[in-house]
Amino acid sequence: MLSTIQRLRENFALLEESQFRGQKRVVVPREKVFEVLKFLKESCGFDMLVDVTCVDYLTYPRRPPWGRFGLVYNLLSTETGERLIVRAYCDVDSASVPSVVPLWEAANWLEREVWDMFGIRFEGHPDLRRILLPEDFEDHPLRKDYPLQGKGERHNLPVITRAEG
Amino acid sequence: MALGLLPGNVLITRLEALVNWCRKNSLWPMPFATACCGIELMALGASRHDVARFGAEVFRFSPRQCDLMIVAGRVVMKMMPVLQRIWQQMHEPKWCISMGACASTGGVFDTYSVVQGIDRFIPVDIYVPGCPPRPEQLIQAILDLQEKIQREGTLLGREFDEPRRNMPPRALLENPGERPLPVQPF
């Protein structure tokens, strides 16, 4: 019986494999991420998408060579209890990846959150709107080049005085 | 004097003082609890601290029935329009307590989304320091507010027209320019 990593290695060109305290992690090319995740779901039994999140490596000293944003898919097989972390990297100008909502319905809100906070576009997402921030918010605040105190969003609100209230 | 003709259980006072006395001892709080301060607010209403002793135990979740808003916790920019709408839905005369460091100043949350003090956008009568404040501090705030109502309250709520009370909030007085923080290499 081949392990998940071995089967992945046979079918796809993985950019990197690593392990930390039993957590298995693979890096796949951005163009292949949908096929890899589809293979993992349909052939390797990863029936649950635990999380989709993102890391901005803008000022990171050991910045990975594949791009600025590391998109992280956290998978779980509820039959074997096996977990796998799949990463794909993209840049600002190519900040779009295929949506995995066709595979796991759970990805819907998770991808909306990543879009909201990092501005990564998910192609084919059924409803890519902001999920946490107001609709008219203009930036993506978890990017590292966004100022910590914002760009004045928290001050541009109507003021109610005693006389008006 | 005719006073001597009154029976012993009759008191004479000014109408305004009587109205203020009624108002201050029957404050109906509107709990706007968004964070951990809300837990202390619940403790205030529970049996140990028992705010019923001060006549403010009737927490109502409809702003139409309340006259004291207690903002307990941080308010983010998305929540501020909600807070303002609830404030406007409350009937006059009404008062506002800003409870805790977050509601008063933003607290430690000096980030893009957290409003740096609700008094920039709605009127506030009493500030309660603490993170979160003890229920005793909130009792003190209610007592201070009662004193304020007794001292300056008027029958028709004219005290709310005072120029000092209608001074523009801090948001209009100062321009809180953003301090640009350098991106820290880590």
Side-chain angles (χ1 to χ4, degrees):
Chain A
M1 184 69 188
L2 291 174
S3 73
T4 308
I5 300 277
Q6 284 169 329
R7 295 181 65 188
L8 270 182
R9 215 182 284 150
E10 279 181 3
N11 288 280
F12 301 97
L14 302 181
L15 295 177
E16 193 183 73
E17 303 162 18
S18 58
Q19 198 160 356
F20 180 75
R21 291 188 177 169
Q23 293 180 2
K24 284 170 284 183
R25 308 178 291 197
V26 293
V27 178
V28 299
R30 180 168 62 88
E31 304 78 31
K32 286 281 174 210
V33 66
F34 188 83
E35 287 91 79
V36 171
L37 291 170
K38 188 174 183 184
F39 175 79
L40 285 169
K41 185 197 175 190
E42 292 174 355
S43 308
C44 302
F46 286 98
D47 50 353
M48 183 171 172
L49 179 71
V50 179
D51 201 3
V52 177
T53 183
C54 186
V55 185
D56 186 356
Y57 288 102
L58 180 66
T59 53
Y60 198 65
R62 288 171 286 113
R63 184 170 164 182
W66 307 290
R68 174 178 160 185
F69 297 106
L71 205 61
V72 185
Y73 295 87
N74 202 332
L75 305 182
L76 169 69
S77 164
T78 55
E79 281 176 28
T80 63
E82 189 183 3
R83 285 176 190 269
L84 182 67
I85 293 169
V86 180
R87 282 167 175 260
Y89 287 82
C90 61
D91 265 313
V92 177
D93 45 352
S94 66
S96 79
V97 287
S99 167
V100 294
V101 175
L103 300 179
W104 297 280
E105 196 57 45
N108 192 322
W109 283 18
L110 300 172
E111 287 181 350
R112 278 177 67 187
E113 187 182 352
V114 173
W115 156 249
D116 199 358
M117 292 297 170
F118 291 93
I120 291 174
R121 202 164 263 291
F122 289 89
E123 301 299 332
H125 190 284
D127 182 26
L128 197 61
R129 285 179 294 131
R130 289 188 178 275
I131 189 168
L132 294 174
L133 293 167
E135 297 261 327
D136 54 353
F137 203 90
E138 283 180 356
D139 222 306
H140 301 288
L142 285 196
R143 288 186 172 188
K144 289 289 180 195
D145 52 1
Y146 182 85
L148 178 65
Q149 295 172 321
K151 295 180 175 174
E153 293 91 351
R154 62 186 184 182
H155 301 302
N156 298 332
L157 295 163
V159 176
I160 294 180
T161 60
R162 267 288 174 192
E164 296 164 6
Chain B
M1 285 289 289
L3 282 179
L5 304 175
L6 290 171
N9 56 356
V10 171
L11 296 174
I12 295 185
T13 178
R14 288 184 303 121
L15 182 59
E16 262 179 9
L18 179 68
V19 166
N20 289 338
W21 178 80
C22 295
R23 281 178 180 161
K24 79 170 188 181
N25 286 308
S26 65
L27 290 169
W28 286 32
M30 164 82 221
F32 194 89
T34 52
C36 42
C37 282
I39 306 296
E40 301 296 310
L41 190 59
M42 289 174 223
L44 176 76
S47 51
R48 182 178 180 89
H49 296 285
D50 193 16
V51 76
R53 294 176 292 160
F54 309 99
E57 79 279 18
V58 195
F59 285 86
R60 287 295 138 131
F61 297 94
S62 164
R64 307 277 186 208
Q65 300 174 339
C66 300
D67 54 7
L68 169 62
M69 171 173 270
I70 302 180
V71 182
R74 69 196 82 91
V75 177
V76 294
M77 50 173 278
K78 198 175 175 181
M79 202 63 176
M80 200 67 212
V82 180
L83 176 63
Q84 286 178 332
R85 167 167 279 198
I86 290 175
W87 172 254
Q88 285 179 321
Q89 282 173 338
M90 287 167 61
H91 286 296
E92 297 273 8
K94 59 191 173 185
W95 299 273
C96 179
I97 289 181
S98 169
M99 177 185 178
C102 296
S104 305
T105 67
V108 296
F109 302 99
D110 190 7
T111 65
Y112 64 94
S113 57
V114 179
V115 170
Q116 301 296 294
I118 58 164
D119 58 344
R120 289 170 187 260
F121 303 109
I122 65 166
V124 172
D125 291 283
I126 304 276
Y127 300 86
V128 189
C131 184
R134 293 275 309 160
E136 292 91 325
Q137 284 173 269
L138 206 53
I139 289 174
Q140 184 63 51
I142 287 174
L143 291 177
D144 289 347
L145 183 65
Q146 288 181 346
E147 192 196 330
K148 182 177 182 174
I149 294 168
Q150 183 70 64
R151 197 176 61 241
E152 63 181 34
T154 52
L155 184 60
L156 300 174
R158 282 191 308 274
E159 76 271 22
F160 296 116
D161 296 333
E162 265 183 24
R164 239 185 84 246
R165 269 203 149 144
N166 279 308
M167 266 168 45
R170 275 157 50 197
L172 296 184
L173 287 177
E174 64 182 66
N175 178 22
E178 296 297 341
R179 294 190 302 275
L181 287 184
V183 179
Q184 298 286 339
F186 52 108

